[in-house]
Amino acid sequence: MITIKNLEELFLIKESSQLVSKMLGMLALEISPGRDTLYLDKLAEEFLRDNGGIPAFLGLYDFPNTLCVSTNEQVVHGIPNHKPLYEGDIVSIDCGVLLNGYYGDVAYTFKVGEIDAPTKKLLEVTKRSLYIGISSCNIGNYIGDIGHNIQNYVEEKGYGVVRELVGHGLGKKIHEDPLIPNYGRKGLGEELVEGMVLAIEPMINQGTHRVKFHKDGWTVTTLDKQVSAHFEHNIALINERTVLLSTYNYIYDSLGIKSKEEEPFIF
């Protein structure tokens, strides 16, 4: 069942999404060769709690940490550990928080030092596919339109779209209806209506779309061991517009990146 939010609820969800966004901006300064991901996890938990939030992933379905940290061929749900990051790695950090009764859930794939050109291109295409998905979230469109447009763009670039893991609704629960695949057919699925809050999150592989689920019950990797990227924003449909509740601007401020990509979706 899809839960429609009022304006007050949208602002509360935005506060949660912004807290995760600020935390990712803080972590952007800490991601470097030699840094281990368990250290990043500790920093994230402290930051969220110090700002009044409760880590949403910690204990969710028995997940053991605050962050999902997925490096290189890991697609999602990587468990933080003491293994150091290396120059040329990429690392996807996915995090949720509960604040004032509502959830935020944001992900970004970071470069560790300098990365090679093919991996850089994968990150560019994956992030661009995120905004293509967001641009498809117009009132009167359908869930299938989102995935269709993401899939068409990504596959034209020669990459694989993960099928087994999808986006979702967001609110008083971190995973609400509707499910939002990153592939599909136009005109299928639920109609998009005023008051929806959605987490759009393409997971794109450099090679095959096929993935492997590991025995730890969490880690998902690409089947061909090529690298994968993951970006996630929280959006709302309000006043006949599609608006961002989360932001990457805290990350960009930390890294000295200039970007106008979010301007069409400012809340």
Side-chain angles (χ1 to χ4, degrees):
M1 178 179 175
I2 297 173
T3 305
I4 301 302
K5 280 76 177 179
N6 60 36
L7 187 60
E8 180 181 357
E9 290 177 301
L10 293 180
F11 275 105
L12 289 170
I13 298 169
K14 182 182 179 182
E15 288 181 6
S16 301
S17 300
Q18 290 286 312
L19 179 54
V20 182
S21 300
K22 290 174 183 177
M23 183 275 297
L24 290 172
M26 177 273 296
L27 287 185
L29 295 172
E30 301 289 340
I31 295 170
S32 60
R35 186 72 80 192
D36 73 68
T37 57
L38 203 56
Y39 173 77
L40 300 177
D41 186 75
K42 179 182 177 182
L43 289 180
E45 181 175 356
E46 289 176 350
F47 185 93
L48 295 178
R49 293 192 187 279
D50 287 349
N51 286 276
I54 299 171
F57 293 176
L58 183 60
L60 180 69
Y61 315 125
D62 295 324
F63 188 75
N65 293 90
T66 294
L67 300 178
C68 292
V69 183
S70 308
T71 57
N72 300 327
E73 75 274 11
Q74 294 179 348
V75 180
V76 287
H77 303 161
I79 299 173
N81 55 57
H82 287 298
K83 181 180 178 182
L85 297 170
Y86 293 96
E87 182 85 14
D89 285 347
I90 57 172
V91 55
S92 167
I93 296 183
D94 188 3
C95 185
V97 71
L98 175 63
L99 180 70
N100 297 323
Y102 289 86
Y103 285 93
D105 181 10
V106 188
Y108 190 90
T109 301
F110 294 88
K111 299 182 289 185
V112 182
E114 293 298 319
I115 63 174
D116 62 36
T119 304
K120 187 178 295 185
K121 183 66 174 178
L122 172 68
L123 298 190
E124 292 170 356
V125 168
T126 305
K127 184 144 67 70
R128 176 60 185 151
S129 77
L130 169 66
Y131 288 104
I132 287 172
I134 292 170
S135 296
S136 305
C137 295
N138 298 317
I139 292 172
N141 282 0
Y142 293 85
I143 293 295
D145 299 342
I146 303 170
H148 174 84
N149 292 336
I150 291 173
Q151 182 181 16
N152 272 9
Y153 171 73
V154 168
E155 291 184 347
E156 284 177 0
K157 300 294 184 181
Y159 300 109
V161 179
V162 174
R163 274 31 172 203
E164 292 86 349
L165 303 150
V166 299
H168 51 89
L170 186 71
K172 288 187 175 181
K173 297 179 181 179
I174 196 163
H175 296 134
E176 295 186 353
D177 291 333
L179 299 180
I180 307 168
N182 297 301
Y183 63 95
R185 294 174 58 189
K186 283 189 173 182
L188 295 184
E190 296 90 343
E191 185 177 359
L192 302 179
V193 299
E194 182 91 3
M196 277 186 170
V197 176
L198 308 173
I200 309 298
E201 52 176 323
M203 290 150 274
I204 308 303
N205 299 343
Q206 197 168 55
T208 179
H209 68 83
R210 298 177 65 193
V211 298
K212 176 181 178 180
F213 290 81
H214 287 251
K215 291 181 180 179
D216 63 13
W218 289 104
T219 308
V220 182
T221 61
T222 57
L223 192 63
D224 58 9
K225 298 184 179 180
Q226 294 194 65
V227 295
S228 182
H230 175 210
F231 290 89
E232 178 180 16
H233 266 316
N234 305 153
I235 64 104
L237 304 182
I238 175 108
N239 296 332
E240 300 184 351
R241 291 187 59 228
T242 303
V243 297
L244 278 174
L245 304 179
S246 54
T247 180
Y248 290 152
N249 285 334
Y250 296 110
I251 296 171
Y252 296 158
D253 287 346
S254 293
L255 299 179
I257 296 172
K258 303 291 185 181
S259 174
K260 296 183 179 180
E261 67 192 20
E262 297 183 5
E263 287 187 358
F265 311 105
I266 291 175
F267 188 8

